[in-house]
Structures are given as C-alpha cells and as structure tokens.
Amino acid sequence: MLIFNLGERRHILVDIYNCKNSDFEIQEATYELIYNDTKEIEESGVCGVYEHRLDAVIEPKNQGEYTLEITYKVLDETLIEPIGITVM
C-alpha cells in the first residue's frame, strides 16, 4: 500500500523478476488508476519500460482509496500487478 498526499504527482516504479532466473523481455506495459469508490478509471497511459523496471507517473485527483493496475506482456503472457494507494 502506498500513501499519497492530495496534490502529489509521483513516479511509481515496479521491478519485475523471473523466479526461474531466465532472461525475459517486457514487450509493453500500460497502467490504469482506478478510484475505488466509483470504480472509474481516473487516469491511464503507457508505462516506461527500462529493462525489468516499469515506470508510471500518476496524480490522484481525490482523497480516498485507489487501485493502480499495471498490465504488462512477456512473451505470450499478459500479467496484471495491482497496487493499493491511499490518498490523504
């Protein structure tokens, strides 16, 4: 769970690891910032991909609970990483 103050704009960095220790390439990555009260997507976009690190820049517009869903593709798999965010 990440904690933001209202008005902050921050980079969220996610490191992706392979438990088999084999080499892999992230082909693409996107994000959606979902406001939990209404289930509406407040922001969406393309993540920066830097080898095995994903970078999304977000700025929640309301106080409350959010879910940041980062979706990325490796080979023939599509994976989703949900991250909880609280805005004070």
Side-chain angles (χ1 to χ4, degrees):
M1 175 73 66
L2 299 174
I3 298 175
F4 274 62
N5 290 311
L6 188 61
E8 286 186 316
R9 177 178 175 82
R10 292 173 36 189
H11 287 262
I12 306 300
L13 302 174
V14 178
D15 289 325
I16 306 298
Y17 296 95
N18 178 342
C19 62
K20 296 179 183 177
N21 288 327
S22 59
D23 196 28
F24 66 97
E25 181 180 335
I26 299 170
Q27 294 151 352
E28 64 182 75
T30 59
Y31 72 90
E32 292 182 339
L33 182 63
I34 302 162
Y35 188 51
N36 291 353
D37 283 354
T38 61
K39 304 297 183 202
E40 290 184 29
I41 297 170
E42 191 170 283
E43 276 185 43
S44 64
V46 176
C47 294
V49 178
Y50 308 99
E51 292 187 14
H52 298 152
R53 177 171 283 175
L54 306 177
D55 181 8
V57 181
I58 63 169
E59 184 177 354
K61 304 292 186 227
N62 299 292
Q63 290 182 323
E65 303 294 320
Y66 284 84
T67 301
L68 176 63
E69 286 188 353
I70 296 182
T71 304
Y72 60 99
K73 294 185 179 187
V74 177
L75 295 174
D76 62 346
E77 296 183 323
T78 300
L79 304 147
I80 300 172
E81 187 68 37
I83 301 167
I85 296 172
T86 299
V87 180
M88 311 291 265

